[in-house]
Amino acid sequence: MATVTFFGVKEIAQQLKKSVDSNVGPRTVDEKEPPSSHSSSNEDKNVAKELVTSSLGGNADIAGLPSLTFNFDEDFLQQDGYTEKLDVEDHGGQDEDMPLHWAIIDFQTPVYCPLNSLVIGSRLDTDIQANTCRLAFSGRLVQKFDTTSEMDKIKFYSKKERSGSICRLGDPYKRGDDGKIVRYEVFGSELFKKETNMTQFIGLHLETARGDVGVIQSSFGTSGKFKMFFPAGTDARNGDKLFLRFKRYANDPEKKIRQHSSLPKERVGAKIETESKKEKKNKKSNKAINGSSDCRQNMIGNITNTKGDALQDGLYTTVIVEGFFTPQDNIRGKVGTKVVVVGSTMEGSVQGSFGKAGKCKVGFKNGISKDLVGAKVELINDK
Protein backbone atom coordinates (compact mmCIF):
# COMPACT_ATOMS: atom_id res chain seq x y z
CA MET A 1 0.00 0.00 0.00
CA ALA A 2 1.08 3.58 -0.58
CA THR A 3 -0.06 7.17 -0.10
CA VAL A 4 -0.18 9.24 -3.30
CA THR A 5 0.09 13.03 -3.48
CA PHE A 6 -0.86 14.54 -6.85
CA PHE A 7 0.47 17.88 -8.08
CA GLY A 8 1.77 19.74 -11.14
CA VAL A 9 -1.25 19.31 -13.41
CA LYS A 10 -1.18 22.94 -14.61
CA GLU A 11 2.58 23.06 -14.90
CA ILE A 12 2.64 19.96 -17.13
CA ALA A 13 -0.19 21.40 -19.21
CA GLN A 14 1.76 24.62 -19.72
CA GLN A 15 4.87 22.64 -20.65
CA LEU A 16 2.93 20.64 -23.23
CA LYS A 17 1.28 23.78 -24.56
CA LYS A 18 4.69 25.37 -25.16
CA SER A 19 5.79 22.18 -26.90
CA VAL A 20 2.73 22.26 -29.15
CA ASP A 21 3.20 25.97 -29.93
CA SER A 22 6.85 25.36 -30.88
CA ASN A 23 6.06 22.08 -32.68
CA VAL A 24 8.36 20.22 -30.30
CA GLY A 25 6.55 17.54 -28.36
CA PRO A 26 7.73 15.79 -25.21
CA ARG A 27 10.33 13.12 -25.85
CA THR A 28 8.85 9.68 -26.43
CA VAL A 29 10.46 6.31 -26.50
CA ASP A 30 10.80 6.44 -30.31
CA GLU A 31 12.75 9.70 -30.06
CA LYS A 32 15.33 8.51 -27.56
CA GLU A 33 18.95 8.61 -28.55
CA PRO A 34 20.08 5.34 -30.12
CA PRO A 35 22.11 3.14 -27.79
CA SER A 36 25.84 3.67 -27.94
CA SER A 37 27.80 1.17 -29.99
CA HIS A 38 29.98 0.67 -26.91
CA SER A 39 27.08 -0.56 -24.72
CA SER A 40 26.97 -4.28 -24.29
CA SER A 41 24.04 -6.44 -25.20
CA ASN A 42 24.22 -8.01 -21.75
CA GLU A 43 23.53 -4.62 -20.12
CA ASP A 44 20.52 -4.11 -22.38
CA LYS A 45 19.22 -7.54 -21.44
CA ASN A 46 19.69 -6.81 -17.75
CA VAL A 47 17.78 -3.51 -17.99
CA ALA A 48 14.98 -5.14 -19.93
CA LYS A 49 14.86 -7.94 -17.39
CA GLU A 50 14.59 -5.42 -14.52
CA LEU A 51 11.69 -3.64 -16.17
CA VAL A 52 9.80 -6.79 -16.95
CA THR A 53 10.34 -8.42 -13.56
CA SER A 54 9.60 -5.27 -11.49
CA SER A 55 7.12 -5.90 -8.70
CA LEU A 56 5.14 -2.85 -9.92
CA GLY A 57 4.61 -4.17 -13.41
CA GLY A 58 6.23 -3.98 -16.83
CA ASN A 59 7.92 -1.37 -18.96
CA ALA A 60 6.29 2.09 -19.01
CA ASP A 61 7.46 2.52 -22.62
CA ILE A 62 5.60 -0.57 -23.66
CA ALA A 63 2.52 0.84 -21.93
CA GLY A 64 2.82 3.95 -24.11
CA LEU A 65 3.27 6.38 -21.24
CA PRO A 66 4.89 9.76 -21.98
CA SER A 67 8.44 10.40 -20.87
CA LEU A 68 8.87 13.72 -19.03
CA THR A 69 11.78 14.94 -16.92
CA PHE A 70 11.03 16.22 -13.42
CA ASN A 71 12.58 19.60 -12.57
CA PHE A 72 13.16 20.39 -8.89
CA ASP A 73 13.71 24.07 -9.76
CA GLU A 74 10.11 24.47 -10.93
CA ASP A 75 7.30 25.89 -8.78
CA PHE A 76 4.18 23.78 -8.33
CA LEU A 77 0.71 24.96 -7.35
CA GLN A 78 -0.70 22.97 -4.44
CA GLN A 79 -3.67 20.77 -5.29
CA ASP A 80 -6.38 19.32 -3.08
CA GLY A 81 -6.22 16.02 -4.96
CA TYR A 82 -6.44 14.53 -8.41
CA THR A 83 -7.75 16.99 -11.00
CA GLU A 84 -10.35 15.29 -13.16
CA LYS A 85 -10.59 17.97 -15.84
CA LEU A 86 -8.66 21.08 -16.91
CA ASP A 87 -10.03 24.38 -18.10
CA VAL A 88 -9.88 24.93 -21.85
CA GLU A 89 -7.06 27.50 -21.55
CA ASP A 90 -5.00 25.13 -19.39
CA HIS A 91 -5.08 21.78 -21.15
CA GLY A 92 -2.37 22.73 -23.65
CA GLY A 93 -3.08 20.14 -26.28
CA GLN A 94 -3.48 17.15 -23.95
CA ASP A 95 -6.79 15.40 -23.27
CA GLU A 96 -8.58 17.84 -20.97
CA ASP A 97 -10.55 14.94 -19.39
CA MET A 98 -7.35 12.96 -18.60
CA PRO A 99 -4.73 15.54 -17.59
CA LEU A 100 -1.22 14.44 -16.68
CA HIS A 101 0.00 14.83 -13.09
CA TRP A 102 3.15 14.48 -11.11
CA ALA A 103 2.68 12.24 -8.08
CA ILE A 104 4.67 11.40 -4.95
CA ILE A 105 4.18 7.74 -4.02
CA ASP A 106 5.02 7.03 -0.39
CA PHE A 107 5.11 3.26 0.16
CA GLN A 108 4.31 1.95 3.63
CA THR A 109 6.82 -0.86 3.14
CA PRO A 110 9.87 -0.98 0.86
CA VAL A 111 9.10 -2.06 -2.70
CA TYR A 112 11.54 -2.94 -5.46
CA CYS A 113 10.81 -0.45 -8.23
CA PRO A 114 13.45 0.44 -10.85
CA LEU A 115 13.06 3.70 -12.78
CA ASN A 116 10.81 3.63 -15.85
CA SER A 117 8.64 0.97 -14.25
CA LEU A 118 4.92 1.09 -14.93
CA VAL A 119 2.87 2.03 -11.85
CA ILE A 120 -0.83 1.21 -11.61
CA GLY A 121 -2.88 2.50 -8.67
CA SER A 122 -6.24 1.19 -7.45
CA ARG A 123 -8.96 2.75 -5.34
CA LEU A 124 -9.03 0.66 -2.18
CA ASP A 125 -12.03 2.56 -0.81
CA THR A 126 -14.27 1.37 -3.67
CA ASP A 127 -17.06 -1.03 -2.78
CA ILE A 128 -15.87 -4.45 -3.92
CA GLN A 129 -19.47 -5.39 -4.73
CA ALA A 130 -19.94 -2.41 -7.04
CA ASN A 131 -19.72 -3.05 -10.77
CA THR A 132 -17.10 -0.35 -11.43
CA CYS A 133 -13.46 -0.07 -12.40
CA ARG A 134 -11.16 0.31 -9.39
CA LEU A 135 -8.15 1.51 -11.39
CA ALA A 136 -7.28 5.04 -10.29
CA PHE A 137 -4.17 5.98 -12.29
CA SER A 138 -1.13 4.70 -14.12
CA GLY A 139 2.27 6.28 -14.60
CA ARG A 140 6.01 6.02 -15.08
CA LEU A 141 8.54 6.09 -12.24
CA VAL A 142 10.92 8.91 -13.13
CA GLN A 143 12.68 9.91 -9.91
CA LYS A 144 13.86 8.41 -6.63
CA PHE A 145 12.50 10.44 -3.74
CA ASP A 146 12.58 10.16 0.06
CA THR A 147 9.49 11.76 1.62
CA THR A 148 11.07 11.84 5.09
CA SER A 149 14.01 14.05 4.15
CA GLU A 150 13.47 15.57 0.70
CA MET A 151 10.01 17.19 0.82
CA ASP A 152 11.66 20.61 1.08
CA LYS A 153 13.17 20.10 -2.36
CA ILE A 154 9.77 20.41 -4.04
CA LYS A 155 8.58 24.01 -4.15
CA PHE A 156 4.85 23.84 -3.43
CA TYR A 157 3.05 27.17 -3.31
CA SER A 158 -0.45 28.51 -2.89
CA LYS A 159 -1.87 31.61 -4.53
CA LYS A 160 -2.95 34.48 -2.29
CA GLU A 161 -4.82 37.67 -3.04
CA ARG A 162 -5.71 40.76 -1.02
CA SER A 163 -7.83 43.63 -2.25
CA GLY A 164 -8.11 47.32 -1.42
CA SER A 165 -9.28 50.42 -3.23
CA ILE A 166 -8.04 53.76 -4.55
CA CYS A 167 -8.84 56.58 -2.14
CA ARG A 168 -7.02 59.45 -3.84
CA LEU A 169 -5.49 60.28 -7.22
CA GLY A 170 -2.26 62.16 -7.85
CA ASP A 171 -1.73 64.92 -10.39
CA PRO A 172 -3.01 64.24 -13.93
CA TYR A 173 -0.55 63.81 -16.79
CA LYS A 174 -1.02 63.63 -20.53
CA ARG A 175 0.91 60.56 -21.67
CA GLY A 176 3.26 61.31 -24.52
CA ASP A 177 2.85 58.20 -26.69
CA ASP A 178 -0.96 58.08 -26.85
CA GLY A 179 -2.20 61.38 -25.36
CA LYS A 180 -4.18 59.58 -22.66
CA ILE A 181 -4.83 61.31 -19.31
CA VAL A 182 -3.23 59.16 -16.60
CA ARG A 183 -1.92 59.30 -13.06
CA TYR A 184 1.53 58.09 -12.07
CA GLU A 185 0.95 58.55 -8.34
CA VAL A 186 -2.06 56.93 -6.66
CA PHE A 187 -3.05 56.48 -3.02
CA GLY A 188 -4.77 53.35 -1.72
CA SER A 189 -6.59 52.14 1.40
CA GLU A 190 -8.48 49.16 2.87
CA LEU A 191 -5.61 46.78 2.06
CA PHE A 192 -3.77 47.00 5.38
CA LYS A 193 -4.83 47.54 8.96
CA LYS A 194 -3.98 50.66 10.91
CA GLU A 195 -1.35 48.85 13.01
CA THR A 196 0.30 47.08 10.05
CA ASN A 197 4.06 47.51 9.68
CA MET A 198 4.29 48.75 6.10
CA THR A 199 8.03 48.11 5.80
CA GLN A 200 7.53 44.51 4.65
CA PHE A 201 5.19 45.61 1.86
CA ILE A 202 7.32 48.40 0.34
CA GLY A 203 8.32 47.40 -3.19
CA LEU A 204 5.48 44.92 -3.74
CA HIS A 205 3.47 45.14 -6.95
CA LEU A 206 -0.24 45.96 -7.08
CA GLU A 207 -2.63 45.60 -9.98
CA THR A 208 -5.72 47.62 -10.80
CA ALA A 209 -8.94 46.11 -12.08
CA ARG A 210 -7.94 47.49 -15.50
CA GLY A 211 -4.67 45.52 -15.46
CA ASP A 212 -2.23 48.38 -14.72
CA VAL A 213 0.72 47.35 -12.53
CA GLY A 214 2.25 49.67 -9.93
CA VAL A 215 4.56 49.44 -6.92
CA ILE A 216 4.02 50.39 -3.26
CA GLN A 217 6.38 53.27 -2.45
CA SER A 218 5.53 54.18 1.13
CA SER A 219 2.86 54.44 3.78
CA PHE A 220 0.55 57.46 3.72
CA GLY A 221 -0.53 58.74 7.09
CA THR A 222 -1.13 56.42 10.05
CA SER A 223 -4.42 54.76 9.09
CA GLY A 224 -3.08 51.99 6.85
CA LYS A 225 -3.13 54.04 3.64
CA PHE A 226 -0.24 53.85 1.19
CA LYS A 227 1.26 55.55 -1.87
CA MET A 228 1.86 53.77 -5.19
CA PHE A 229 3.76 54.59 -8.35
CA PHE A 230 2.72 53.40 -11.82
CA PRO A 231 5.66 53.66 -14.30
CA ALA A 232 3.35 53.52 -17.32
CA GLY A 233 0.55 55.50 -15.69
CA THR A 234 -2.98 54.36 -14.91
CA ASP A 235 -6.43 55.62 -15.86
CA ALA A 236 -7.98 54.09 -12.73
CA ARG A 237 -10.50 56.19 -10.81
CA ASN A 238 -11.31 56.86 -7.17
CA GLY A 239 -12.94 53.80 -5.63
CA ASP A 240 -11.50 51.34 -8.16
CA LYS A 241 -10.21 48.04 -6.80
CA LEU A 242 -6.54 47.27 -6.15
CA PHE A 243 -5.19 43.73 -5.96
CA LEU A 244 -2.10 42.41 -4.18
CA ARG A 245 -1.40 38.97 -5.68
CA PHE A 246 1.45 36.80 -4.40
CA LYS A 247 2.66 33.28 -3.61
CA ARG A 248 3.21 31.54 -0.27
CA TYR A 249 5.57 28.57 -0.34
CA ALA A 250 4.66 25.65 1.91
CA ASN A 251 8.25 24.86 2.86
CA ASP A 252 9.43 28.45 3.28
CA PRO A 253 10.56 28.91 6.92
CA GLU A 254 10.43 32.72 6.53
CA LYS A 255 6.85 32.68 5.13
CA LYS A 256 7.73 35.58 2.85
CA ILE A 257 5.49 37.13 0.22
CA ARG A 258 6.83 36.09 -3.19
CA GLN A 259 5.95 37.80 -6.45
CA HIS A 260 7.17 37.07 -9.96
CA SER A 261 5.44 39.95 -11.74
CA SER A 262 7.41 42.76 -13.35
CA LEU A 263 6.75 46.47 -13.71
CA PRO A 264 5.91 47.78 -17.18
CA LYS A 265 8.23 50.02 -19.13
CA GLU A 266 8.09 53.67 -18.13
CA ARG A 267 5.84 55.85 -20.31
CA VAL A 268 6.51 59.55 -19.78
CA GLY A 269 3.82 62.23 -19.77
CA ALA A 270 3.48 66.00 -19.36
CA LYS A 271 1.85 67.34 -16.21
CA ILE A 272 -1.50 69.06 -16.64
CA GLU A 273 -1.52 72.24 -14.56
CA THR A 274 -4.68 72.54 -12.47
CA GLU A 275 -5.81 75.03 -9.86
CA SER A 276 -5.21 73.60 -6.39
CA LYS A 277 -7.93 73.46 -3.74
CA LYS A 278 -6.07 76.01 -1.64
CA GLU A 279 -5.87 78.42 -4.56
CA LYS A 280 -9.56 77.99 -5.28
CA LYS A 281 -10.44 78.58 -1.63
CA ASN A 282 -8.30 81.71 -1.41
CA LYS A 283 -9.71 83.00 -4.68
CA LYS A 284 -13.27 82.49 -3.47
CA SER A 285 -12.50 84.04 -0.09
CA ASN A 286 -10.85 87.10 -1.67
CA LYS A 287 -13.73 87.51 -4.05
CA ALA A 288 -16.25 87.43 -1.23
CA ILE A 289 -14.22 89.81 0.94
CA ASN A 290 -13.73 92.27 -1.89
CA GLY A 291 -17.36 92.05 -2.80
CA SER A 292 -18.59 92.72 0.72
CA SER A 293 -16.26 95.65 1.25
CA ASP A 294 -16.83 97.28 -2.13
CA CYS A 295 -20.21 99.00 -2.18
CA ARG A 296 -20.18 99.11 -5.98
CA GLN A 297 -20.05 95.29 -6.38
CA ASN A 298 -23.15 93.16 -5.85
CA MET A 299 -23.06 89.44 -5.00
CA ILE A 300 -25.08 86.67 -6.61
CA GLY A 301 -26.38 83.71 -4.63
CA ASN A 302 -29.21 81.22 -4.87
CA ILE A 303 -32.12 80.13 -2.69
CA THR A 304 -31.50 76.65 -1.24
CA ASN A 305 -34.63 76.20 0.88
CA THR A 306 -37.50 77.85 2.70
CA LYS A 307 -37.63 78.22 6.50
CA GLY A 308 -40.56 78.16 8.89
CA ASP A 309 -44.22 77.51 8.22
CA ALA A 310 -46.07 78.75 5.17
CA LEU A 311 -48.60 81.57 5.39
CA GLN A 312 -52.26 81.00 4.58
CA ASP A 313 -51.60 81.86 0.93
CA GLY A 314 -48.82 79.24 0.76
CA LEU A 315 -45.99 81.77 0.70
CA TYR A 316 -42.97 81.82 3.03
CA THR A 317 -41.44 84.84 4.72
CA THR A 318 -37.94 83.41 5.20
CA VAL A 319 -35.58 81.54 2.85
CA ILE A 320 -32.02 80.22 3.11
CA VAL A 321 -29.47 81.63 0.64
CA GLU A 322 -25.92 80.52 -0.19
CA GLY A 323 -23.22 82.19 -2.27
CA PHE A 324 -23.25 85.65 -0.69
CA PHE A 325 -20.69 85.00 2.02
CA THR A 326 -17.86 82.68 3.02
CA PRO A 327 -17.53 81.01 6.47
CA GLN A 328 -14.99 83.71 7.40
CA ASP A 329 -17.30 86.66 6.70
CA ASN A 330 -19.09 88.57 9.47
CA ILE A 331 -22.68 88.17 8.29
CA ARG A 332 -23.99 90.05 11.31
CA GLY A 333 -22.59 93.24 9.79
CA LYS A 334 -24.73 92.68 6.68
CA VAL A 335 -28.07 92.29 8.48
CA GLY A 336 -30.65 94.53 6.76
CA THR A 337 -28.84 94.59 3.40
CA LYS A 338 -31.30 94.50 0.50
CA VAL A 339 -31.74 91.30 -1.50
CA VAL A 340 -33.71 91.02 -4.75
CA VAL A 341 -34.79 87.99 -6.75
CA VAL A 342 -33.02 88.22 -10.11
CA GLY A 343 -35.47 88.97 -12.94
CA SER A 344 -38.30 90.05 -10.62
CA THR A 345 -39.38 92.94 -8.38
CA MET A 346 -39.46 90.87 -5.16
CA GLU A 347 -37.32 92.37 -2.42
CA GLY A 348 -36.11 91.08 0.91
CA SER A 349 -33.28 91.67 3.37
CA VAL A 350 -30.56 89.72 5.18
CA GLN A 351 -31.78 88.60 8.64
CA GLY A 352 -28.68 86.77 9.91
CA SER A 353 -26.39 83.79 9.43
CA PHE A 354 -27.55 80.20 9.04
CA GLY A 355 -25.10 77.50 10.10
CA LYS A 356 -21.34 77.80 9.66
CA ALA A 357 -20.95 77.38 5.90
CA GLY A 358 -21.55 81.01 4.91
CA LYS A 359 -25.30 80.63 4.35
CA CYS A 360 -27.71 83.32 5.53
CA LYS A 361 -31.39 83.87 6.24
CA VAL A 362 -33.23 86.32 4.00
CA GLY A 363 -36.67 87.67 4.92
CA PHE A 364 -39.39 88.63 2.42
CA LYS A 365 -42.14 90.74 4.06
CA ASN A 366 -44.67 90.01 1.32
CA GLY A 367 -43.76 86.30 1.15
CA ILE A 368 -42.09 84.15 -1.49
CA SER A 369 -43.19 80.97 -3.25
CA LYS A 370 -41.49 77.63 -2.58
CA ASP A 371 -41.26 77.26 -6.36
CA LEU A 372 -38.43 79.80 -6.30
CA VAL A 373 -36.08 77.41 -4.44
CA GLY A 374 -33.01 77.29 -6.70
CA ALA A 375 -33.63 80.79 -8.10
CA LYS A 376 -30.81 83.35 -8.18
CA VAL A 377 -30.86 86.29 -5.82
CA GLU A 378 -28.69 89.42 -5.70
CA LEU A 379 -27.20 91.14 -2.66
CA ILE A 380 -27.40 94.90 -3.27
CA ASN A 381 -24.46 96.71 -1.71
CA ASP A 382 -25.94 100.24 -1.80
CA LYS A 383 -24.66 101.44 1.57
Side-chain angles (χ1 to χ4, degrees):
M1 294 180 62
T3 302
V4 182
T5 303
F6 293 102
F7 67 98
V9 61
K10 288 196 173 184
E11 288 76 18
I12 293 179
Q14 290 169 2
Q15 179 183 348
L16 294 178
K17 186 175 182 180
K18 290 180 181 177
S19 299
V20 170
D21 293 341
S22 60
N23 295 322
V24 179
R27 193 185 68 176
T28 64
V29 63
D30 295 330
E31 295 171 336
K32 286 183 177 180
E33 294 181 3
S36 171
S37 58
H38 299 289
S39 61
S40 66
S41 59
N42 289 333
E43 290 178 353
D44 294 339
K45 291 179 181 179
N46 291 335
V47 172
K49 184 178 180 181
E50 280 186 342
L51 294 174
V52 173
T53 59
S54 168
S55 58
L56 292 181
N59 192 336
D61 292 334
I62 297 175
L65 295 174
S67 178
L68 300 175
T69 302
F70 186 78
N71 183 6
F72 281 100
D73 293 329
E74 191 173 358
D75 294 349
F76 296 99
L77 180 65
Q78 282 189 319
Q79 297 176 207
D80 294 331
Y82 183 84
T83 300
E84 297 282 351
K85 187 174 181 178
L86 283 173
D87 296 332
V88 175
E89 63 270 18
D90 289 331
H91 66 75
Q94 61 171 312
D95 189 341
E96 56 184 303
D97 292 321
M98 295 181 63
L100 297 177
H101 292 65
W102 292 116
I104 299 173
I105 305 177
D106 186 13
F107 293 102
Q108 295 181 4
T109 56
V111 176
Y112 176 64
C113 47
L115 297 181
N116 283 317
S117 294
L118 169 64
V119 182
I120 299 177
S122 299
R123 297 183 180 92
L124 298 181
D125 57 349
T126 304
D127 184 1
I128 60 175
Q129 303 298 330
N131 184 20
T132 182
C133 178
R134 297 179 66 189
L135 295 181
F137 67 90
S138 63
R140 176 196 297 267
L141 283 178
V142 297
Q143 180 73 42
K144 178 184 175 182
F145 188 76
D146 187 350
T147 57
T148 61
S149 62
E150 296 184 305
M151 283 300 294
D152 290 349
K153 292 176 63 176
I154 299 182
K155 297 188 286 186
F156 291 119
Y157 73 90
S158 55
K159 290 182 177 180
K160 302 290 184 180
E161 180 179 287
R162 294 184 184 181
S163 63
S165 62
I166 295 175
C167 64
R168 178 178 169 183
L169 299 173
D171 294 328
Y173 285 76
K174 184 175 182 180
R175 199 158 54 191
D177 55 7
D178 61 359
K180 200 170 188 179
I181 306 301
V182 296
R183 264 81 174 181
Y184 293 102
E185 197 174 73
V186 171
F187 300 86
S189 62
E190 301 175 9
L191 189 61
F192 308 109
K193 295 180 180 178
K194 181 178 179 180
E195 61 274 12
T196 300
N197 180 9
M198 289 293 297
T199 305
Q200 59 182 321
F201 298 102
I202 302 300
L204 292 181
H205 297 171
L206 290 178
E207 188 175 342
T208 69
R210 303 166 186 244
D212 301 322
V213 179
V215 60
I216 299 177
Q217 283 190 325
S218 66
S219 59
F220 182 69
T222 58
S223 59
K225 295 180 181 179
F226 52 95
K227 183 172 73 172
M228 296 166 291
F229 175 70
F230 288 81
T234 177
D235 58 351
R237 297 289 179 263
N238 262 333
D240 282 3
K241 282 286 186 181
L242 293 168
F243 300 97
L244 174 64
R245 298 185 174 105
F246 57 94
K247 293 179 179 180
R248 289 277 196 193
Y249 286 88
N251 300 320
D252 182 6
E254 299 179 357
K255 301 298 180 184
K256 283 187 176 181
I257 293 177
R258 312 283 183 176
Q259 289 183 318
H260 298 289
S261 58
S262 58
L263 291 174
K265 185 179 178 181
E266 187 173 350
R267 300 169 68 182
V268 181
K271 185 177 180 180
I272 299 175
E273 296 298 335
T274 58
E275 193 175 34
S276 68
K277 289 184 178 180
K278 187 174 182 180
E279 289 173 339
K280 288 180 180 179
K281 186 175 180 180
N282 290 338
K283 187 175 179 181
K284 185 176 180 180
S285 177
N286 292 335
K287 182 178 179 182
I289 293 172
N290 293 336
S292 61
S293 61
D294 187 353
C295 62
R296 295 170 299 176
Q297 183 178 357
N298 297 333
M299 302 298 295
I300 299 295
N302 63 282
I303 300 173
T304 62
N305 207 346
T306 58
K307 183 173 176 57
D309 297 328
L311 301 175
Q312 291 183 352
D313 55 3
L315 301 180
Y316 293 82
T317 58
T318 306
V319 296
I320 307 302
V321 173
E322 66 177 3
F324 286 162
F325 310 106
T326 69
Q328 294 80 19
D329 287 337
N330 180 16
I331 299 178
R332 186 178 300 176
K334 288 292 185 180
V335 171
T337 303
K338 185 167 70 173
V339 176
V340 298
V341 178
V342 175
S344 74
T345 59
M346 288 184 286
E347 293 186 5
S349 63
V350 176
Q351 292 183 334
S353 62
F354 182 78
K356 298 180 180 180
K359 294 181 181 180
C360 65
K361 292 181 289 185
V362 175
F364 287 86
K365 185 184 297 187
N366 297 326
I368 189 170
S369 172
K370 193 176 181 68
D371 294 337
L372 289 176
V373 171
K376 292 186 179 300
V377 289
E378 186 176 5
L379 181 69
I380 307 299
N381 287 294
D382 54 0
K383 293 183 181 181

